[in-house]
Structures are given as structure tokens and as C-alpha cells.
Amino acid sequence: MSNPVYIAIDVPRLDGAKALAEKVKGHVGGIKLGLEFFCAHGHHGVLEMAQVGLPIFLDLKLHDIPNTVAGAMQSIHVLEPAIVTVHASGGRAMMEDAKAAAGENTKVVAVTMLTSLDETDMAKTGIGGSAHDQVMRLAELAEAAGLDGIVCSGHEVGAVHKHWKNGYFVVPGLRPAGSTVGDQKRVVTPRQARDDGASVLVIGRPIARAEDPLAAARAIEATL
């Protein structure tokens, strides 16, 4: 991939989302559309965004019984997404069925641990140990299930890459040096994540909410 940056676009209006994508498309490698966008605009919205001419990453974080997740995957075949997410905590059978049901050219990656969480949050949900250990456990499970890769923070991608050499690693929660962290707790710079083995760099607010999104996208691209 020449440009690993996928811009995360979750704005309420479809015309605004498309205008933003058109503005920065020369300096990003793809578009990430999440639950907010998909619930608001559905298949029609995704097809409209695809007209921009960039690969589409559908960040739906599917998590249900295996049959239901497989059915959901089949229902988005027509959208031909480049990447779709499921939750690794859904278990091996769910991940296997998700991959089997996905389109031939769609990479299925498992969300290990949301970048808005830390060990304190984990403990409150009954998960012991460190964030690093949890990500490594779920990465191993995702690899065993035959998925293409995982979603993890920049803090873990280097360690996962050492164990899963040909994995496809999506890193969100990135913040360029000197930018506001916001509600993210485990963040690194785009350059650091790329150096540590990230395949895709998901960047939202630092571009989408910049005074000049085009200049922000250009500046991030220049660091890579």
C-alpha cells in the first residue's frame, strides 16, 4: 500500500462526509466508515462514499453468535469492502464463520481491545492482566481462526508483528506529535506505528476536525 492512512469519517451528514473524503483523497489511502455512519446511511451511504475512488474499511465490529455474524458478512458482500472488523472476544468459531462468509477480496480483522480502554477498565469487566497480554492472547486466537489480522493499539503492534509475521495490522487511536489525545488512552504517532509493523493507520479527528483537513492529511503523509 503506497499510503497506509485510512481517514475515519463519522459525520452525521452524507454530503459532508463525501466532501471531506474528496478533499483529502489525494493524501490518504482509504476511508474508514464506522457504526455511526453505517447506522445513519446504510448500504446507500457506503456506495456513495465508494464513488470517491478509495478502498472502504467498514468498521462494524461485529460480535454475535457465529451464524448471525456470518449472515451479516454475507449481507455486505455487495459493498465490496476492503476491510471489515469483528470482535475477537466473540470467539474462534465466530471468527472462522466471519472469514468464511466474507468476500474473496475482503480482509477480516479482529478488534482485540478498544484503544479507549486501559487495565483499570479491563479489571472492571473481569479481565485480569495487562492490556498487552490480552491483545497477545486475542491475536493468537484470531490467527488460529484464519483471520487476516487484528486491530490493536500502537503500543502492541510491534510485539504482535514479531509473532505473526504476515499478519495485517490495523492501528487506530493515532495522534500526530503535539496533537490532542482526547478520549484515547493508548496512543502513538502514525510514524511510530508504521515503523512497528502497522499495515493500516486509522486517523480521524486530527484530519477530519483540523482547520485545514487537506493540510493536516498532507502533513501526516509527509511523516511516513
Side-chain angles (χ1 to χ4, degrees):
M1 182 190 300
S2 56
N3 188 331
V5 173
Y6 271 61
I7 180 173
I9 299 181
D10 274 318
V11 297
R13 292 180 58 90
L14 179 56
D15 56 354
K18 197 168 180 182
L20 174 59
E22 288 284 1
K23 186 176 294 185
V24 302
K25 69 179 181 181
H27 299 281
V28 299
I31 301 167
K32 184 190 84 83
L33 302 173
L35 274 176
E36 183 179 349
F37 182 93
F38 195 73
C39 288
H41 306 295
H43 282 216
H44 166 71
V46 177
L47 292 171
E48 281 289 313
M49 294 301 289
Q51 291 178 11
V52 174
L54 291 173
I56 299 292
F57 169 10
L58 277 184
D59 187 20
L60 302 181
K61 298 184 179 72
L62 301 174
H63 188 175
D64 212 308
I65 62 172
N67 187 61
T68 298
V69 169
M73 283 296 230
Q74 289 170 347
S75 77
I76 58 175
H77 272 204
V78 67
L79 302 176
E80 299 182 338
I83 311 167
V84 177
T85 48
V86 300
H87 263 293
S89 54
R92 180 166 177 168
M94 187 205 80
M95 288 190 280
E96 288 175 341
D97 284 11
K99 179 59 182 171
E104 185 179 348
N105 298 316
T106 296
K107 291 188 183 298
V108 181
V109 296
V111 175
T112 52
M113 185 174 162
L114 300 174
T115 54
S116 58
L117 302 179
D118 58 18
E119 278 89 352
T120 301
D121 301 308
M122 286 172 54
K124 288 177 180 176
T125 62
I127 300 171
S130 68
H132 179 273
D133 291 345
Q134 175 69 352
V135 170
M136 295 303 289
R137 279 194 296 267
L138 292 175
E140 185 177 348
L141 186 63
E143 184 178 12
L147 262 58
D148 296 283
I150 63 163
V151 181
C152 66
S153 89
H155 286 269
E156 296 93 30
V157 69
V160 177
H161 186 241
K162 286 178 184 175
H163 287 84
W164 190 352
K165 292 296 184 186
N166 63 341
Y168 190 81
F169 306 118
V170 176
V171 178
L174 298 168
R175 294 292 183 267
S179 66
T180 303
V181 171
D183 61 358
Q184 303 291 344
K185 293 182 179 177
R186 297 176 356 264
V187 301
V188 301
T189 65
R191 177 78 235 184
Q192 183 183 339
R194 186 65 165 159
D195 287 346
D196 286 345
S199 310
V200 167
L201 308 172
V202 176
I203 302 175
R205 282 170 278 190
I207 296 175
R209 297 189 186 175
E211 283 188 24
D212 185 343
L214 177 57
R218 258 200 206 118
I220 291 169
E221 183 185 31
T223 69
L224 304 174

